[in-house]
Amino acid sequence: MPTFLFILPAIIYAAVLIFAVGIVWHFIYWLRSPNPLKIPSGAAPTNAVGTFIRASSEIIFFTSLGKGEKGLWLGSYLFHLLLLMTVLGHLRYFFYPVPAWVLFFSSLRIYTVFIFMLSILYLIIRKIAIDRMRYISKPIDYFYLLVLFSIGLTGLIMKFVARPVLVDIKDFILHINALSPIRLPETVGWFFILHLCFVLLILIIFPFSKLMHAGGVFITPTRLMINNPRLKKHINPWADKEWTEKLKDSANEADSYKPWSVEQWSKRCQR
């Protein structure tokens, strides 16, 4: 226990570094991938303004999901919205003094955590109860949800059962932020350590898992491409460099071809 508390700041820095580098690497990989075709899905807008409005609606309201199964949309929307509100409420431990907007979300945190956990339970039950969802769901899909549920559960235990010394927690986090780490005080209790370990686990696996859909939605071609293939020629730079040279070579070969003369054909027929 004392050794783990001593090295915990190093584990936190490593988890944050893996999270940040993984996110950046993923975005660079996605942005460098060629888009050989115009592939906007559905009745996509034909101008930039309409595409921006469509993408914003998708990110904020999950509109495409809402056009499908309403129950899944409600559970997923509550899950993501309350997760965001819970994270914003936890920023009170990272600021001193605490901004007013952070205090607002922090005051709602107890309600958001309850509904957040109920939404996770709904998504888990849905995966188990519906045949097609049970068929396509892998064990890792349940693992993500159970880790997030454990984060909420340990938070509620600290709220109602084993309350830690919040001043010591905030002091520890502020020292981490200032890059002058200190040993985590034992007064924070085991449930806070478990709570923190679950959060670090999510940070480490986030960039390399399905959870990266939270970042991919901002650059997905099917939502961000303008639907104007009949108005403007779409040229993929990757295809332009490689295939245009091959087409030029083929055209040169065709230009170099000269049809046989009558004398040549006569000689060929006499053979």
Side-chain angles (χ1 to χ4, degrees):
M1 176 75 173
T3 304
F4 177 75
L5 295 181
F6 182 76
I7 65 173
L8 186 56
I11 298 175
I12 294 174
Y13 286 129
V16 173
L17 183 63
I18 292 173
F19 175 78
V21 172
I23 294 286
V24 172
W25 174 82
H26 240 112
F27 271 91
I28 292 175
Y29 176 77
W30 283 336
L31 292 173
R32 293 185 63 184
S33 299
N35 295 314
L37 300 172
K38 281 278 188 177
I39 53 173
S41 61
T46 58
N47 54 60
V49 175
T51 303
F52 175 78
I53 294 173
R54 182 196 194 207
S56 301
S57 174
E58 182 68 34
I59 294 170
I60 298 173
F61 301 110
F62 302 0
T63 49
S64 62
L65 187 61
K67 294 176 182 176
E69 186 179 340
K70 302 301 180 186
L72 174 60
W73 173 83
L74 180 62
S76 298
Y77 194 75
L78 286 176
F79 169 77
H80 288 86
L81 177 64
L82 296 171
L83 175 60
L84 175 63
M85 294 175 67
T86 304
V87 171
L88 293 176
H90 276 74
L91 292 181
R92 60 177 292 191
Y93 299 107
F94 293 81
F95 292 106
Y96 184 80
V98 183
W101 61 272
V102 174
L103 288 176
F104 169 74
F105 286 109
S106 181
S107 65
L108 302 175
R109 195 175 48 181
I110 186 62
Y111 307 106
T112 58
V113 171
F114 267 119
I115 304 175
F116 169 69
M117 294 179 65
L118 289 176
S119 66
I120 293 178
L121 284 178
Y122 168 75
L123 294 175
I124 293 176
I125 293 172
R126 182 177 176 276
K127 284 182 177 295
I128 298 174
I130 301 177
D131 291 340
R132 67 178 188 279
M133 292 304 303
R134 187 169 60 252
Y135 180 76
I136 64 174
S137 297
K138 298 179 179 179
I140 192 68
D141 299 327
Y142 297 97
F143 175 75
Y144 299 142
L145 292 174
L146 289 176
V147 171
L148 291 170
F149 186 84
S150 300
I151 293 174
L153 181 62
T154 50
L156 289 180
I157 291 175
M158 286 189 290
K159 176 68 177 179
F160 295 106
V161 180
R163 296 179 67 88
V165 179
L166 296 181
V167 175
D168 290 344
I169 292 177
K170 182 156 186 171
D171 184 54
F172 173 75
I173 295 176
L174 289 178
H175 276 84
I176 291 289
N177 286 349
L179 301 180
S180 59
I182 61 173
R183 183 179 180 275
L184 181 66
E186 296 185 7
T187 54
V188 299
W190 274 102
F191 286 106
F192 173 75
I193 296 174
L194 282 175
H195 188 74
L196 181 59
C197 288
F198 285 133
V199 173
L200 296 178
L201 179 61
I202 284 293
L203 286 179
I204 293 172
I205 65 177
F206 189 96
F208 314 103
S209 65
K210 290 182 177 179
L211 302 178
M212 264 305 292
H213 71 274
V217 70
F218 291 97
I219 58 173
T220 174
T222 57
R223 292 290 182 275
L224 299 181
M225 277 188 168
I226 302 173
N227 186 22
N228 60 352
R230 297 181 180 180
L231 303 175
K232 184 179 179 181
K233 185 179 180 181
H234 174 74
I235 300 176
N236 175 27
W238 160 68
D240 188 44
K241 292 178 181 176
E242 293 190 8
W243 294 100
T244 301
E245 293 300 325
K246 294 182 179 179
L247 290 175
K248 287 180 179 179
D249 294 340
S250 299
N252 293 333
E253 291 178 2
D255 292 339
S256 61
Y257 172 75
K258 295 180 181 179
W260 284 2
S261 63
V262 176
E263 291 76 13
Q264 287 176 313
W265 278 112
S266 299
K267 292 180 180 178
R268 176 68 180 272
C269 295
Q270 290 174 2
R271 294 176 182 174

